Amino acid sequence: MYGTLRRGERNASLLAECDCLREVRTAPQYTLYSLGSHPGLGEHGTTAVIGEVYAVDSPTLARLDALEDHPHWYERKAIALADGSSVEGYVLPERFTAGLPVIADGDWVRYRRLS
């Protein structure tokens, strides 16, 4: 999770019953965009995005998919991490990214606090 689902953010309660396994950075091959009230992860770029990895059960995954409007808005895909492993996460399709502001340091929480 790289945005409003991170600890302390407005949608974090959806993960309250899930274990946060670790904080991570993606491999430096993404772009983090601001959509105003939340971010979107783009697949093409050079940024290492900051996030958290959670163990989620099927009912929680269904709630997350509903929040992210998967597969119509965000798409759930493999995300490469800096340590060489991968996790499943939500990606904003390129067709939605034109003209969006870029969060250059890849940290939504910091960006939100500074905005």
Side-chain angles (χ1 to χ4, degrees):
M1 306 303 165
Y2 53 84
T4 65
L5 289 160
R6 284 173 61 186
R7 288 177 285 186
E9 294 299 300
R10 74 171 190 274
N11 289 317
S13 62
L14 290 173
L15 296 168
E17 301 299 316
C18 301
D19 290 330
C20 181
L21 303 178
R22 59 191 168 126
E23 293 181 4
V24 296
R25 284 187 184 267
T26 68
Q29 62 191 50
Y30 299 95
T31 299
L32 192 62
Y33 297 97
S34 173
L35 287 88
S37 63
H38 60 280
L41 183 72
E43 288 186 276
H44 306 290
T46 58
T47 302
V49 175
I50 296 171
E52 300 165 349
V53 175
Y54 288 82
V56 299
D57 57 19
S58 294
T60 301
L61 185 59
R63 287 191 297 275
L64 296 174
D65 282 349
L67 174 72
E68 305 294 2
D69 196 17
H70 167 71
H72 306 291
W73 181 248
Y74 287 91
E75 298 172 351
R76 201 166 5 104
K77 293 187 171 187
I79 306 294
L81 299 181
D83 68 3
S85 66
S86 67
V87 294
E88 202 167 66
Y90 294 97
V91 173
L92 186 64
E94 193 170 338
R95 68 185 178 274
F96 298 130
T97 63
L100 292 175
V102 171
I103 301 172
D105 71 356
D107 188 348
W108 163 255
V109 172
R110 183 175 182 281
Y111 175 85
R112 185 187 54 74
R113 288 185 185 142
L114 295 175
S115 296

